[in-house]
Amino acid sequence: MLDKKNILENTDLVQKNCDNRGVKVNVGRYVELESQRRALQQEIEELSRQANLVSKSIGKTQDDAERKERKKEGRQLREQKDEKQAAMDCIAAEAGAIYRSMPNLTHPESPVGSEAHSRELRRGEHDARSLGFPVLDHVELAEQHDLIDFEGGARTAGNGFYFLKNEAVLLELALQQYALELLMGEGFVPLITPDLARGEILQGVGFIPRGPETQIYSIENSDLNLVATAEITLGGLYSGQVIDEDDLPLTLCGISHCFRTEAGAAGRTSRGLYRVHQFTKVEMFAFTRPDQSEQMHNSFCDLECRIFDGLGIPYRVIDIATGDLGGPAYRKFDLEAWMPGRGDNGEYGEVTSASNCTDYQSRRLNIRYKTKGEKGTHFVHTLNGTAVAISRAILAILENCQQADGTVVVPSVLQKWVGKEQIGGGI
RNA sequence: GGUCGGGUGGCAGAGUGGUCGAAUGCACCGGUCUUGAAAACCGGCGUACCGCAAGGUACCGGGGGUUCGAAUCCCUCCCCGACCGCCA
């Protein structure tokens, strides 16, 4: 959510920002409603004040007739207040709906426009070059080495589910260990989070838990939802809390399963592991002071680069355009890994995403920080970034590390956990 | 799943219808004392919103109700703890 004062004072800028982001919001209407609401609020407070005075005086009055008269007066004042309150609630509901639909402000350097306007910032250490032999895609490689059972997944849970098997299981665990080791070395606190969360938390983080186009699975007869990312639970972890400024920045990394309905994704490139209903992810999350968040955002992006450079996978870094940022992000960097088996001659595919959400989520989740010796509190900034989304990482590893003879070389950084140097070839 | 007990300020913990936004302790901030520190003592110290200020309004897990007035009574939901049952 945005700062209400800022909306009232910079209506045109906020409107322009919404337009740039492709979000239809009538900011002017909001401002109109909000000023009406404020006026009513003041009247209500005045009536409450008078009614409170009357109530207090009754406690001191002994005379019965006077008490009766005062009670009547008090009742009337409260009735007047209730009427105005009802009117205000109505206006507040409409204003609130507009308010909640407003996306975050945007970093001045984010490219303006639709997805196509996103800008490549740089590339990884490894070049996306031709492998020099006819490549297999990860589905073919997985089949050859008996690594993933898509049919069994479909039989058991439906299309979009799968069983990891044999070395794929080891790869999943190795990728978790690899990411965790690296992040813990950078001071991140490791967590394994719940895979379910309350609707309120999902909304606070910026997800829409129920409704026709939701990406979220929800549990019937309950307020619980399967999480789409540990960003949800890590944000929820500190909801309603006041953090000591001395503890900032606070960096966490959480492992969770991620569940996504992928409603509306039919027809998009979705063969194999690329777009699935469940996967495991190691997620970075940070709470920072406002002046620290930009640096933290860059640091998240650098860590993602280190992780994929370490795996030997080529990638490019994208500065996401305004039209593709979603609601909470102020700025977003994606890593797109080279996937040799994708499309006709290989394509880039998103493997990570790092967002600076500034105070948008912390306002909704009510996460603040306090400076020792100073009065009041401030909203923290929150950031999230993918360390490793396991399914897509496995996809990228299989396709990039395949050899002419069909074997797959295990990235050296993972070998100590996988326990072997290559998959296939009888070794 | 069952029974009982609880949810109050950063923490601990009083408060069962009216001068309660809330005792007290700890923590924290300022001061006295001290070569310095500690201790002791004195003072201050919740959050949000409105207001130049004085001040006001709201908030004692969430929502609703009773009342002139609710932290306090009633309903409901959520959460936490203990014990029992079941179980990886």
Side-chain angles (χ1 to χ4, degrees):
Chain A
M1 292 193 281
L2 301 178
D3 183 353
K4 288 186 178 178
K5 263 187 201 153
N6 187 35
I7 302 172
L8 297 181
E9 287 165 11
N10 299 294
T11 309
D12 293 346
L13 286 175
V14 172
Q15 182 68 61
K16 184 156 194 297
N17 180 60
C18 293
D19 295 344
N20 284 344
R21 284 179 165 245
V23 179
K24 281 183 195 140
V25 176
N26 187 340
V27 182
R29 174 70 179 156
Y30 170 78
V31 170
E32 187 186 323
L33 289 166
E34 178 62 11
S35 36
Q36 283 176 30
R37 192 196 67 76
R38 287 189 180 217
L40 275 170
Q41 179 70 46
Q42 294 207 357
E43 293 176 35
I44 288 165
E45 286 188 4
E46 175 57 21
L47 286 168
S48 283
R49 191 183 66 81
Q50 290 174 14
N52 286 345
L53 285 176
V54 171
S55 292
K56 277 184 184 169
S57 75
I58 291 174
K60 295 176 196 159
T61 305
Q62 297 302 318
D63 183 65
D64 243 22
E66 185 170 350
R67 283 175 76 99
K68 208 174 168 188
E69 188 54 38
R70 288 286 172 87
K71 282 187 188 184
K72 191 179 162 198
E73 194 186 341
R75 201 179 304 125
Q76 284 170 348
L77 283 166
R78 303 270 175 195
E79 277 165 9
Q80 286 176 40
K81 193 203 85 174
D82 287 346
E83 274 175 38
K84 289 210 187 283
Q85 183 77 51
M88 192 193 86
D89 288 348
C90 190
I91 289 167
E94 192 187 342
I98 300 174
Y99 180 53
R100 280 188 300 275
S101 70
M102 289 182 198
N104 200 353
L105 300 175
T106 310
H107 192 285
E109 285 171 44
S110 292
V112 175
S114 62
E115 187 175 357
H117 292 82
S118 291
R119 172 174 57 221
E120 179 176 320
L121 291 176
R122 62 178 188 273
R123 300 209 172 190
E125 280 178 7
H126 305 275
D127 295 330
R129 58 175 185 273
S130 164
L131 293 177
F133 53 83
V135 301
L136 302 177
D137 77 4
H138 72 284
V139 176
E140 295 162 323
L141 289 162
E143 189 178 349
Q144 187 172 318
H145 300 294
D146 196 18
L147 299 177
I148 307 171
D149 188 343
F150 289 105
E151 285 180 19
R155 205 182 311 131
T156 309
N159 185 38
F161 292 92
Y162 55 93
F163 287 78
L164 294 183
K165 203 173 168 186
N166 297 316
E167 287 90 342
V169 174
L170 301 177
L171 276 176
E172 151 131 11
L173 296 175
L175 283 163
Q176 291 182 41
Q177 297 270 28
Y178 167 58
L180 225 53
E181 186 176 77
L182 193 145
L183 293 173
M184 286 171 69
E186 296 293 324
F188 283 72
V189 177
L191 295 146
I192 292 180
T193 86
D195 285 337
L196 286 84
R198 302 175 184 289
E200 181 193 331
I201 300 295
L202 286 261
Q203 283 172 357
V205 175
F207 287 80
I208 301 148
R210 316 249 167 172
E213 294 195 1
T214 185
Q215 281 280 80
I216 303 293
Y217 288 103
S218 50
I219 307 293
E220 201 176 1
N221 299 323
S222 129
D223 185 36
L224 289 171
N225 309 270
L226 294 175
V227 299
T229 160
E231 175 192 351
I232 292 167
T233 41
L234 294 173
L237 181 60
Y238 281 88
S239 62
Q241 305 295 299
V242 179
I243 304 171
D244 276 350
E245 187 191 345
D246 295 345
D247 294 333
L248 298 177
L250 198 57
T251 50
L252 314 174
C253 58
I255 302 175
S256 81
H257 292 118
C258 304
F259 301 91
R260 301 181 180 184
T261 64
E262 299 297 350
R268 303 182 64 179
T269 309
S270 59
R271 182 170 152 83
L273 277 183
Y274 191 77
R275 193 177 299 284
V276 288
H277 291 313
Q278 177 184 336
F279 58 97
T280 311
K281 182 153 64 78
V282 181
E283 180 82 352
M284 302 181 280
F285 200 93
F287 302 94
T288 73
R289 282 198 319 253
D291 62 293
Q292 296 168 324
S293 68
E294 177 148 7
Q295 191 193 347
M296 184 63 72
H297 191 212
N298 289 327
S299 154
F300 272 21
C301 187
D302 289 344
L303 286 165
E304 292 174 7
C305 291
R306 270 171 66 188
I307 288 168
F308 278 82
D309 283 335
L311 292 169
I313 294 171
Y315 62 85
R316 60 184 184 186
V317 181
I318 305 292
D319 195 350
I320 297 298
T322 52
D324 210 23
L325 283 174
Y330 174 74
R331 192 181 198 185
K332 186 188 283 190
F333 300 135
D334 281 5
L335 257 63
E336 295 185 347
W338 180 246
M339 299 179 175
R342 205 166 175 227
D344 291 335
N345 289 299
E347 285 175 6
Y348 283 101
E350 182 185 341
V351 283
T352 75
S353 184
S355 300
N356 181 0
C357 297
T358 60
D359 58 359
Y360 190 85
Q361 292 176 327
S362 61
R363 284 176 188 279
R364 294 187 173 213
L365 291 166
N366 191 24
I367 305 175
R368 295 166 293 157
Y369 72 92
K370 184 171 175 59
T371 307
K372 267 198 173 58
E374 274 183 26
K375 216 172 149 55
T377 56
H378 302 96
F379 288 108
V380 299
H381 278 193
T382 60
L383 301 99
N384 65 84
T386 316
V388 184
I390 306 292
S391 52
R392 289 196 182 175
I394 289 178
L395 184 164
I397 288 169
L398 293 178
E399 293 190 0
N400 281 288
C401 302
Q402 63 179 303
Q403 307 299 304
D405 63 0
T407 59
V408 176
V409 173
V410 176
S412 58
V413 294
L414 301 182
Q415 286 175 9
K416 65 173 167 176
W417 292 296
V418 175
K420 52 175 73 174
E421 294 175 15
Q422 70 176 64
I423 299 168
I427 298 173

